[in-house]
Amino acid sequence: MSTAPKPPAVNTTGPPTPASSTTSSPTATKQSTNSFDHQSNPMANLQEVVALMAKAKDSEKALRRMLATLETGGHDLASAGKAIQTAEKIETLRTLLTNKRTECIAAIDALEADLRFKVNAALKERLRHHVCKEIQGSVQSKINQKVREKLLVHIPPTIRDQTGTHKKRMSEIQMHLHNSEARRINATLSPDQPLKPLLRLPSSNAEAATPSDHFPATVNDCLKLKDDALKSLVREYGLRDLSPVREEKINKLLDFIGVPFQCMKIVPESGSSSPAGSKQPRMFLLDKPRSKFV
């Protein structure tokens, strides 16, 4: 069974409450009422204490969240500071590279302008030299043509014929001088040393004497001449071809060149023990006294 609440104790020892105290303010009345309720209801006090403890825990959690947020913000601020420093360094480097690029572009432009000037100057000089050379050649050709035309008009045909004859004789004299010197040099050479070519009489269209295309390089090459080349040499140099024998033609050519050798064909004996390939006639060079030139 529950016990009924006791009535409030009456203060019998104190002085009587004045009449003016009965007309107190509503706030005082409410506070006194709440105090009375709290004193009269312990469960309400316990609920308030529990509510206050719950509010304190919520406040603690809020403070913890705020501290965590502040700590994270501090780390973010530190990272942001490093990022700002990095951005400043990047910007400084970008400015430096931009300045360097501007300097390089200016240097390249100056170098390009200098090269363009030098190339243009060299090209102008080369073109000027080429044009002057072409003009000089063209003018010289026209002058020569005009001179020939005037000479044909003013010089009689007999004098022109005499001039051609003199030119031909001078060419022959120069050819004979050259051939004499070539024979003198060839007379001192060995069979494997290069020969000095002899000149042949110029043709009707040629102005100067030239050596034959079939002229042998050495004395040994004379033995290797083919029949067509040998006949061409005899004909071009005006040698008398009286014998159909090959070695005689070669000896005539050797005498004309001026070498102190003569060619001899040796046929191996039929009874010798030489191989079948070595029984063919072979040409050999022999020393001979220096003979007169043909």
Side-chain angles (χ1 to χ4, degrees):
M1 295 177 63
S2 60
T3 305
K6 295 180 181 182
V10 179
N11 187 6
T12 58
T13 60
T17 304
S20 60
S21 62
T22 58
T23 61
S24 60
S25 65
T27 303
T29 306
K30 185 177 180 180
Q31 290 180 352
S32 63
T33 304
N34 290 337
S35 176
F36 176 79
D37 292 339
H38 290 164
Q39 292 177 1
S40 63
N41 193 358
M43 294 300 294
N45 294 336
L46 182 61
Q47 290 177 356
E48 289 183 0
V49 169
V50 171
L52 289 174
M53 291 179 67
K55 289 181 180 180
K57 289 182 179 181
D58 293 339
S59 299
E60 181 182 4
K61 291 180 180 179
L63 288 174
R64 289 181 180 276
R65 287 194 297 271
M66 188 179 297
L67 289 174
T69 303
L70 290 174
E71 184 176 2
T72 304
H75 289 299
D76 293 339
L77 287 174
S79 301
K82 293 181 180 180
I84 292 172
Q85 292 178 357
T86 303
E88 291 176 354
K89 291 181 180 180
I90 292 173
E91 186 64 27
T92 304
L93 184 60
R94 182 183 290 110
T95 304
L96 180 61
L97 290 177
T98 302
N99 295 335
K100 289 292 184 183
R101 181 175 179 273
T102 304
E103 293 176 1
C104 290
I105 291 174
I108 290 172
D109 292 339
L111 181 61
E112 183 179 359
D114 185 49
L115 288 176
R116 186 182 294 108
F117 175 77
K118 291 181 178 179
V119 168
N120 289 335
L123 185 60
K124 288 179 181 178
E125 182 63 23
R126 186 171 181 178
L127 288 175
R128 186 184 67 81
H129 178 72
H130 180 72
V131 170
C132 291
K133 187 176 180 180
E134 290 292 331
I135 292 174
Q136 185 178 1
S138 178
V139 171
Q140 187 65 34
S141 177
K142 290 184 178 180
I143 291 174
N144 294 336
Q145 183 178 359
K146 290 294 182 181
V147 168
R148 283 194 297 267
E149 292 176 357
K150 294 298 181 180
L151 289 176
L152 290 175
V153 173
H154 295 284
I155 296 177
T158 55
I159 296 178
R160 290 199 301 268
D161 295 339
Q162 290 178 2
T163 303
T165 303
H166 289 317
K167 285 184 178 180
K168 185 176 180 181
R169 288 181 181 177
M170 289 298 298
S171 178
E172 291 178 358
I173 291 171
Q174 291 177 357
M175 181 194 69
H176 289 306
L177 290 174
H178 174 86
N179 290 346
S180 297
E181 180 64 17
R183 291 189 183 97
R184 186 189 66 79
I185 295 174
N186 293 336
T188 63
L189 301 177
S190 61
D192 57 347
Q193 289 180 324
L195 293 170
K196 186 174 181 62
L198 274 70
L199 301 180
R200 57 186 174 173
L201 290 173
S203 60
S204 58
N205 297 327
E207 296 182 357
T210 56
S212 173
D213 297 335
H214 303 288
F215 196 89
T218 62
V219 177
N220 288 330
D221 290 338
C222 292
L223 305 181
K224 304 175 184 178
L225 287 172
K226 296 182 178 180
D227 293 338
D228 295 339
L230 185 58
K231 291 179 181 179
S232 178
L233 284 170
V234 171
R235 182 179 64 256
E236 290 177 6
Y237 285 102
L239 304 178
R240 291 179 296 174
D241 187 12
L242 301 177
S243 175
V245 182
R246 174 180 171 80
E247 57 267 24
E248 292 184 3
K249 293 181 180 180
I250 293 176
N251 285 331
K252 187 177 291 294
L253 180 62
L254 294 176
D255 288 339
F256 178 76
I257 293 173
V259 295
F261 302 101
Q262 62 181 357
C263 173
M264 181 175 292
K265 182 171 69 173
I266 299 177
V267 181
E269 297 180 359
S270 59
S272 62
S273 60
S274 302
S278 64
K279 293 182 179 181
Q280 299 294 330
R282 300 182 64 183
M283 296 287 185
F284 293 92
L285 287 174
L286 300 177
D287 294 336
K288 69 177 183 63
R290 186 171 180 178
S291 60
K292 296 182 179 180
F293 302 129
V294 178

